[in-house]
Amino acid sequence: MKVALLGCGVVGSQVARLLREQADDIAARVGAPFELAGVAVRRIDRPRDPALDPALLTTDAGALVTDPDVDVVIEVIGGVEPAKKLILEAMAKGKSVVTANKALLAQDGAALHRAARRNGVDLYYEASVAGAIPLLRPLRESLAGDRVTRVIGIVNGTTNYILDRMDSTGASFDDALQEAQALGYAEADPTADVEGFDAAAKAAILAGLAFHSRVTSADVHREGITRITAADIANARAMGYVIKLLAICARDDGHGVGVRVHPAMIPRTHPLAGVREAYNAVFVEARSAGRLMFYGAGAGGAPTASAVLGDLVAVARNRLAGVSGPSESVYAALPVHPMGETMTRSYIALEVLDKSGVLARVAEVFAEHDVSIQTVRQEGRGDDAQLIVVTHRSSDAALAATVRRLRRLDAVRAVGTVMRVEGEDTA
Ligand SMILES: NC(=O)c1ccc[n+]([C@@H]2O[C@H](COP(=O)([O-])OP(=O)(O)OC[C@H]3O[C@@H](n4cnc5c(N)ncnc54)[C@H](O)[C@@H]3O)[C@@H](O)[C@H]2O)c1
Ligand SMILES: N[C@@H](CCO)C(=O)O
Ligand code: NA
């Protein structure tokens, strides 16, 4: 089994190492020896693992993927192009592909799946979501006989690390981000992580698999964590909540799905609240299976390479047996509903005038928009008076209209934090 590796960065270098160190075991498990046929890199002269044979390196990825000797291509370059072009070229030449590229899969997974089907090859991508954690294969295979109703979890390690540091040390967002960068969790340009793009791509992939429908990153409602302040974290803490960046894919009562990524307050007793540092955790809820929790390392070279190697073994077994792995399943074709129709609970902090009638006026605005209040609490006096409102479940559109109206209210000096509350199954 000849393997071409595209990209030799954080993940690729670990894939090359594991392929070398575990060659005998993998060969025994598959029933055929593996051989690294070539490694496409951008620059030959970079310092690399001395155990990696320099003769394998090439800057001509295009020639490597079409090499007639190559059976399987592993793409760990990242980004949409040239990764997409290289994958399509490999498939056109009858090669199966293993990739960790969530950005590409979430933007145009359909094109990759189409090419795989047309050419009778496999496309595996366990590493693309939640790194080492087996999550896509359970959705695609183990739960194929059930009806998944919801997937909710923490799928970005960098942002979880930042929020965890803010919560446990009182650090500001900027300081926590710098720490995450120093530890190598966040990218030099951390936009994809902190603005939620990375988590949104993962949510799109999860929703597509969970609900047998086509979901792209453009369908995902996305909010990042850059506006979260130390005060928000402290307010959450005071109410028994912790703030997490959540990816939520839910089948609604009608015939659609909602897919969203945003920060949310969850009770400190919720299992996701205990997910610390850069770890990931995902709950999958299915009609018959009930609630399943998947937890582990969602990022990092070796953990991600573990998922890549697992896929490589699957591809090799299929090839030897003369069969193909599961193809794309989008038969349900459920529409993705706009965020405005999503029902959520919310936390709203209002700076208000401290005088009689204010609470009544504020409550009236919520009532006018049919947003039901669960709790309201005043903090501070005089110029520091704050009303902290937590609502029952309402549509996101109704909540947004309520907030717009509150901003114009004389009794309200300013609308502070508005954040969704998740993880409590009360109405
Ligand atoms: N790092 C993680 O923890 C992690 C986890 C899960 C998934 N992923 C995914 O894995 C992929 C790789 O991530 P990474 O962290 O290893 O990134 P990286 O930037 O460390 O590595 C990518 C490598 O590809 C090389 N490259 C770029 N264009 C190339 C080309 N045309 N030909 C050959 N080489 C080229 C770059 O020089 C770089 O060394 C991405 O899709 C990423 O989203 C990463
Ligand atoms: N940047 C990503 C890598 C894993 O996909 C994270 O922090 O989770
Ligand atoms: Na995974």
Side-chain angles (χ1 to χ4, degrees), residues 32-268:
F34 274 84
E35 192 185 322
L36 196 50
V39 182
V41 296
R42 205 153 36 185
R43 283 183 37 207
I44 300 276
D45 58 358
R46 269 199 52 198
R48 295 179 198 281
D49 181 351
L52 179 64
D53 179 1
L56 291 176
L57 301 179
T58 171
T59 52
D60 192 349
L64 183 59
V65 296
T66 52
D67 181 338
D69 280 349
V70 167
D71 300 295
V72 187
V73 171
I74 297 175
E75 184 275 309
V76 279
I77 289 174
V80 172
E81 291 293 358
K84 181 176 171 183
K85 182 167 164 282
L86 291 167
I87 289 174
L88 294 177
E89 279 171 6
M91 287 178 168
K93 295 281 183 197
K95 298 159 202 324
S96 288
V97 172
V98 174
T99 177
N101 194 332
K102 58 229 149 188
L104 172 56
L105 285 158
Q107 190 187 87
D108 200 8
L112 304 189
H113 280 108
R114 251 195 327 270
R117 197 172 51 244
R118 194 168 46 234
N119 296 293
V121 299
D122 280 342
L123 173 64
Y124 277 74
Y125 44 98
E126 181 61 70
S128 67
V129 182
I133 307 171
L135 180 57
L136 304 192
R137 189 164 293 128
L139 282 171
R140 207 151 88 146
E141 298 178 20
S142 322
L143 290 165
D146 208 332
R147 175 191 270 239
V148 175
T149 50
R150 200 162 76 123
V151 180
I152 171 169
I154 295 164
V155 295
N156 181 269
T158 303
T159 46
N160 199 58
Y161 182 83
I162 293 171
L163 293 172
D164 184 38
R165 292 304 284 173
M166 291 175 76
D167 182 62
S168 57
T169 69
S172 69
F173 173 81
D174 288 331
D175 289 346
L177 171 58
Q178 271 179 22
E179 259 184 77
Q181 282 172 316
L183 285 164
Y185 295 136
E187 312 286 321
D189 173 8
T191 311
D193 293 314
V194 297
E195 294 293 0
F197 290 102
D198 177 80
K202 291 164 176 168
I205 295 169
L206 287 172
L209 289 171
F211 306 129
H212 302 272
S213 298
R214 195 160 279 149
V215 181
T216 70
S217 34
D219 298 319
V220 181
H221 174 86
R222 174 193 54 79
E223 293 168 39
I225 65 162
T226 52
R227 281 180 305 188
I228 293 173
T229 62
D232 293 335
I233 303 269
N235 284 338
R237 176 178 276 278
M239 295 191 54
Y241 293 128
V242 59
I243 299 176
K244 294 289 191 188
L245 182 70
L246 297 183
I248 303 173
C249 318
R251 199 179 175 123
D252 57 33
D253 301 334
H255 297 285
V257 297
V259 191
R260 52 195 164 108
V261 166
H262 55 69
M265 293 186 185
I266 58 172
R268 297 191 92 86

Side-chain angles (χ1 to χ4, degrees), residues 257-307:
V257 297
V259 191
R260 52 195 164 108
V261 166
H262 55 69
M265 293 186 185
I266 58 172
R268 297 191 92 86
T269 49
H270 193 280
L272 288 175
V275 177
R276 307 284 308 272
E277 302 185 334
Y279 282 95
N280 284 189
V282 178
F283 277 103
V284 177
E285 296 168 15
R287 198 185 257 174
S288 305
R291 240 182 169 201
L292 308 168
M293 186 177 185
F294 298 83
Y295 173 86
T304 307
S306 162

Side-chain angles (χ1 to χ4, degrees), residues 334-349:
L334 297 175
V336 181
H337 288 165
M339 186 62 189
E341 292 176 21
T342 301
M343 304 293 287
T344 62
R345 297 172 60 228
S346 294
Y347 164 106
I348 302 134

